[in-house]
Amino acid sequence: MRRLKSIDIFRGICMLYMVIAHLSRWWLQSQFLPQVNFFYIFIEPFGASGFLFISGLSIALSMNKKYIKS
């Protein structure tokens, strides 16, 4: 079965967003908290929701191909 690179790239970006969001409070100094709050408010929701969306989409595409073959 052929993999779509765009799905894997988007999934990797979403995982990177989630890792940065979870680790940002530990390694950033207190002077950078406004930037961290901006990250949490606007960018972080795309991590988990985007990852779940693209995972569901890839499962749906995979199952569709298996149903067509059988």
Side-chain angles (χ1 to χ4, degrees):
M1 182 168 28
R2 193 179 66 113
R3 294 184 64 96
L4 297 174
K5 291 182 184 178
S6 60
I7 290 178
D8 291 334
I9 290 171
F10 186 73
R11 190 180 303 153
I13 290 171
C14 290
M15 289 190 320
L16 181 68
Y17 282 161
M18 287 190 285
V19 168
I20 289 172
H22 284 96
L23 296 179
S24 63
R25 295 262 181 193
W26 291 345
W27 56 272
L28 287 178
Q29 299 173 357
S30 61
Q31 65 189 10
F32 296 114
L33 285 180
Q35 287 87 356
V36 173
N37 289 335
F38 173 79
F39 182 79
Y40 279 132
I41 292 170
F42 295 109
I43 299 174
E44 197 269 333
F46 292 112
S49 60
F51 182 80
L52 290 175
F53 172 74
I54 206 69
S55 295
L57 183 68
S58 64
I59 289 172
L61 291 173
S62 173
M63 294 301 285
N64 190 25
K65 282 186 181 182
K66 287 182 181 182
Y67 285 141
I68 291 173
K69 278 186 176 181
S70 64

